[in-house]
Amino acid sequence: MKAILEAYLKDKVNQYKEINYLDVFFSEDMLKYCQANHCGQYNKNWMCPPSIIPIEKLNQSQKYQKAFIFNHITKLSDSFDYEGMKKGRKKVEKILLGLRQHLNSYKDYQIIGVGSCSICPSCTYPDAPCRFPNLASPSMEAIGIDVLSLSKKVDMKYNNGINTVTYFAMII
């Protein structure tokens, strides 16, 4: 799988790295951030808390040994360029959708993406099941991963300068 991931991501992302899954740092503070509803998606999206898997289950899982983390840097016109941020996020989401196609022969993996799921114009949560459970993925922060601490631990740049935003995603 590593060779497939590297070949696919090589010209699409800025950095990628295979890491030990045990190096992934989970933090209750990330969930508190979600509960404070800073992004406006708490309890409104199938891929956001409280509807997704509790971090304790992922944190204690012995199922996964390796993870593949990558980032994509988007240049912005200024630090308030919300449209540029959305465009960068959509690019990462497109990379993740393509990655699913490249991994179609593998069954045992999870993609951890960026932000709340935006596959559908409006989420069915909580009234009906997710329309695309095989395409949707929670963000790293939504499952409690402290991306800043993890990026430092695995020597990947989190802050890439003025007027940029860096999106991280992971395959476990």
Side-chain angles (χ1 to χ4, degrees), residues 94-113:
K94 186 176 178 182
I95 291 168
L96 294 175
L97 287 173
L99 185 57
R100 286 187 191 283
Q101 293 175 342
H102 276 73
L103 297 176
N104 65 0
S105 64
Y106 292 90
K107 302 291 183 231
D108 193 20
Y109 69 90
Q110 287 189 15
I111 291 179
I112 312 299

Side-chain angles (χ1 to χ4, degrees), residues 3-169:
I4 291 171
L5 290 170
E6 287 178 339
Y8 179 75
L9 295 172
K10 182 179 168 188
D11 298 322
K12 294 175 179 61
V13 300
N14 295 89
Q15 292 178 293
Y16 58 87
K17 187 176 281 192
E18 183 180 52
I19 63 171
N20 290 319
Y21 182 68
L22 295 175
D23 286 339
V24 177
F25 180 72
F26 291 87
S27 169
E28 290 291 334
D29 290 340
M30 295 286 100
L31 294 180
K32 289 176 186 172
Y33 186 83
C34 285
Q35 289 170 340
N37 204 20
H38 290 284
C39 75
Q41 292 299 310
Y42 183 80
N43 205 24
K44 294 180 181 175
N45 191 298
W46 280 111
M47 293 296 114
C48 290
S51 65
I52 59 172
I53 186 169
I55 63 168
E56 295 81 22
K57 288 187 181 176
L58 279 176
N59 199 14
Q60 296 171 0
S61 174
Q62 297 301 315
K63 181 178 182 179
Y64 301 108
Q65 319 231 315
K66 295 287 182 183
F68 211 84
I69 187 171
F70 64 89
N71 66 17
H72 182 272
I73 302 163
T74 300
K75 297 203 183 296
L76 306 173
S77 60
D78 59 52
S79 58
F80 299 102
D81 181 8
Y82 182 70
E83 289 304 314
M85 291 176 201
K86 270 182 27 181
K87 187 176 177 181
R89 180 180 157 189
K90 288 289 183 191
K91 181 164 184 159
V92 174
E93 289 172 346
K94 186 176 178 182
I95 291 168
L96 294 175
L97 287 173
L99 185 57
R100 286 187 191 283
Q101 293 175 342
H102 276 73
L103 297 176
N104 65 0
S105 64
Y106 292 90
K107 302 291 183 231
D108 193 20
Y109 69 90
Q110 287 189 15
I111 291 179
I112 312 299
V114 294
S116 62
C117 180
S118 64
I119 293 171
C120 302
S122 64
C123 187
T124 59
Y125 183 83
D127 302 320
C130 177
R131 292 179 192 107
F132 301 104
N134 294 332
L135 298 177
S137 59
S139 71
M140 293 173 70
E141 294 88 352
I143 63 168
I145 296 175
D146 182 337
V147 179
L148 177 58
S149 295
L150 178 60
S151 68
K152 288 178 182 178
K153 186 170 190 167
V154 300
D155 196 30
M156 292 179 78
K157 284 192 83 169
Y158 183 86
N159 186 336
N160 287 281
I162 193 165
N163 297 334
T164 64
V165 63
T166 306
Y167 293 101
F168 279 81

